[in-house]
Amino acid sequence: MNPVNLLDFDLKGLTAYFEQIGEKPFRAKQVLRWLHHFGAGDVGQMTDLAKGLRASLAEQAEIRPPVLLSEQEAGDGTRKFLLEVGPGNQVETVFIPETDRGTLCVSSQVGCALECRFCSTGRQGFNRNLSVAEILGQLWWANKALGRDPKGERIISNVVMMGMGEPLLNYDNVVTALSVMLDDHAYGLSRRRVTVSTSGIIPAMDRLRADMPVALAVSLHASNDRLRDELVPINRKYPLTDLMAACRRYVVDAPRDFVTFEYIMLEGVNDQPQHARELLEVVREVPCKFNLIPFNPFPHSGYRRSSPETVRRFANILQERGLIATTRKVRGDDIDAACGQLAGQVQDKTRRLARRSAAVGPMVTGVPIEERPA
Ligand code: SAH
Ligand code: SF4
């Protein structure tokens, strides 16, 4: 029988496991603490467990995080970790230091099955969901590498599920991993400091609201369905009116009383004043803040970043109506660690690249919206 991976469990799962092997359920808290609070990589380190239990765990279980392949540091202190998750598949995790916090950007899938036009991960195709151990393993490794500050606090104070993949399409594993992030026996992060970012998978947003309401970011990127259908194709299934209704429902149970809308600024595509005005109507009834993201380029993307002046003008229109609109700083782009640049390595099962090169016609290349065919 394959050994179980102890990093695959949250407290509930570990408790059930201990019951199943005839051990006292309260041992689960102790083991979770060893794994995630102290970062134990070996059952032998768990010195306050009875010798017998350590021996049986050593036989039946293992602690198997993904393999850490490399670590890079950018000029601004951003750090990128490359992790191997099985042959030919690698995912990336990014740590972003700021004055008042340290944020880890965690991946949820190997690649992504949704083909957002401006996203490097989306271009790579999709292999599979990450396991709980592979999601938590990113935090496990990064905590080891970064350690604690002089006051003994962990350097990682926030987690955003904004790395590779669509977290809400790997729902069960992501929710189990979130429960470990929030657990006081493990990472003890508050719900407000853990953010799930989604392209708008409405049924899963409703489930998350009930199961594990953490902070929510929604990748909006467009001010009408026609444009969003093109940039974020999942919009064809979950269009804007329904998405806005789901956001309103989410806010009722959310740890923050707003949803963050992420809006990527693509020159000449979605960054004009009329888009900003249209957006104000779309989000009219949703308590929200905007995070404007300057597009981060990657080879053959076909898009350009909006100028700072265009971004400022766009933000002003939102702000004049009382909305909070911040512009995300570009971090870590000298090591390709900025938003949307994470690539890792994906054994694509969707044959996306092959399909694309066979397709006729160019990719979307920033044709202003009013010039597009209806
Ligand atoms: N799949 C989820 C989370 C991962 S993407 C989602 O789409 O929300 C995290 C964020 O990076 C999203 O807002 C995404 O739209 C943005 N992003 C993707 N490609 C980008 C790029 N090239 N430049 C800047 N941001 C990008
Ligand atoms: Fe997937 Fe998010 Fe990239 Fe879209 S933006 S392809 S949902 S990772």
Side-chain angles (χ1 to χ4, degrees):
M1 211 172 58
N2 282 340
V4 299
N5 187 355
L6 294 176
L7 293 176
D8 268 325
F9 293 123
D10 63 357
L11 185 61
K12 205 165 121 217
L14 209 50
T15 306
Y17 172 67
F18 280 124
E19 270 172 349
Q20 184 202 323
I21 62 170
E23 288 292 339
K24 302 258 183 331
F26 71 84
R27 294 285 181 210
K29 286 185 184 154
Q30 258 173 304
V31 170
L32 206 66
R33 230 175 127 70
W34 275 112
L35 291 171
H36 298 289
H37 193 79
F38 298 115
D42 191 321
V43 174
Q45 288 170 277
M46 303 182 181
T47 45
D48 58 356
L49 295 188
K51 262 206 181 129
L53 173 56
R54 265 186 277 162
S56 77
L57 279 182
E59 226 168 77
Q60 307 173 53
E62 59 183 357
I63 302 170
R64 188 160 40 85
V67 178
L68 180 61
L69 292 177
S70 66
E71 207 192 309
Q72 272 176 288
E73 184 162 350
D76 65 6
T78 299
R79 283 162 78 161
K80 184 164 83 169
F81 303 90
L82 179 67
L83 300 164
E84 187 176 68
V85 287
N89 284 318
Q90 296 163 7
V91 295
E92 295 181 323
T93 304
V94 176
F95 173 71
I96 306 140
E98 284 166 281
T99 41
D100 56 343
R101 65 191 151 179
T103 304
L104 193 70
C105 180
V106 169
S107 294
S108 56
Q109 299 182 310
V110 186
C112 186
L114 307 180
E115 301 185 53
C116 301
R117 294 293 186 118
F118 46 77
C119 174
S120 171
T121 305
R123 287 282 175 94
Q124 280 190 301
F126 174 73
N127 185 273
R128 65 173 173 82
N129 284 333
L130 292 181
S131 67
V132 176
E134 289 163 342
I135 298 169
L136 286 174
Q138 300 170 54
L139 191 52
W140 192 90
W141 272 122
N143 262 309
K144 253 191 212 314
L146 296 158
R148 293 176 185 262
D149 67 13
K151 283 196 241 149
E153 304 284 340
R154 283 192 204 272
I155 301 285
I156 299 173
S157 61
N158 294 55
V159 170
V160 291
M161 299 297 304
M162 291 185 189
M164 296 168 66
E166 168 49 56
L168 294 188
L169 289 180
N170 182 11
Y171 187 84
D172 290 341
N173 291 348
V174 164
V175 165
T176 304
L178 291 174
S179 118
V180 176
M181 292 177 199
L182 302 181
D183 197 315
D184 283 337
H185 302 286
Y187 297 99
L189 296 171
S190 85
R191 288 179 193 279
R192 302 161 62 86
R193 289 178 173 271
V194 177
T195 302
V196 165
S197 174
T198 180
S199 55
I201 314 295
I202 293 176
M205 287 165 64
D206 283 321
R207 282 181 75 193
L208 189 70
R209 172 168 70 90
D211 295 344
M212 194 69 58
V214 293
L216 185 71
V218 173
S219 294
L220 203 51
H221 306 319
S223 55
N224 60 58
D225 281 317
R226 188 158 54 97
L227 186 53
R228 196 164 191 268
D229 281 353
E230 199 176 337
L231 295 174
V232 184
I234 195 71
N235 192 67
R236 294 173 202 158
K237 193 162 177 192
Y238 303 119
L240 281 172
T241 312
D242 299 347
L243 183 57
M244 292 305 110
C247 290
R248 279 203 305 278
R249 291 194 293 277
Y250 195 90
V251 168
V252 174
D253 298 295
R256 294 175 182 270
D257 55 7
F258 60 89
V259 168
T260 303
F261 286 129
E262 297 164 278
Y263 194 96
I264 191 168
M265 298 296 291
L266 303 166
E267 187 183 73
V269 176
N270 64 353
D271 64 350
Q272 297 300 301
Q274 80 265 22
H275 296 116
R277 286 191 287 269
E278 202 173 27
L279 207 49
L280 286 168
E281 285 310 301
V282 170
V283 306
R284 204 156 45 101
E285 288 173 356
V286 186
C288 64
K289 291 186 182 175
F290 270 87
N291 202 340
L292 304 179
I293 315 176
F295 169 65
N296 292 311
F298 53 90
H300 313 296
S301 74
Y303 292 110
R304 282 188 304 269
R305 181 183 287 176
S306 308
S307 71
E309 183 43 40
T310 305
V311 178
R312 219 171 300 128
R313 187 177 53 179
F314 197 94
N316 279 343
I317 296 174
L318 301 181
Q319 285 159 354
E320 275 164 14
R321 280 274 202 96
L323 281 176
I324 294 181
T326 49
T327 305
R328 188 177 289 174
K329 269 205 228 111
V330 177
R331 300 292 304 264
D333 55 345
D334 51 338
I335 55 167
D336 285 342
C339 297
Q341 289 184 326
L342 299 190
Q345 187 182 324
V346 178
Q347 296 293 311
D348 181 21
K349 285 190 172 159
T350 64
R351 298 190 59 250
R352 185 170 302 165
L353 286 176
R355 272 189 289 127
R356 180 156 289 148
S357 51
V360 279
M363 300 274 303
V364 182
T365 48
V367 183
I369 177 173
E370 57 278 2
E371 289 173 28
R372 284 157 197 260

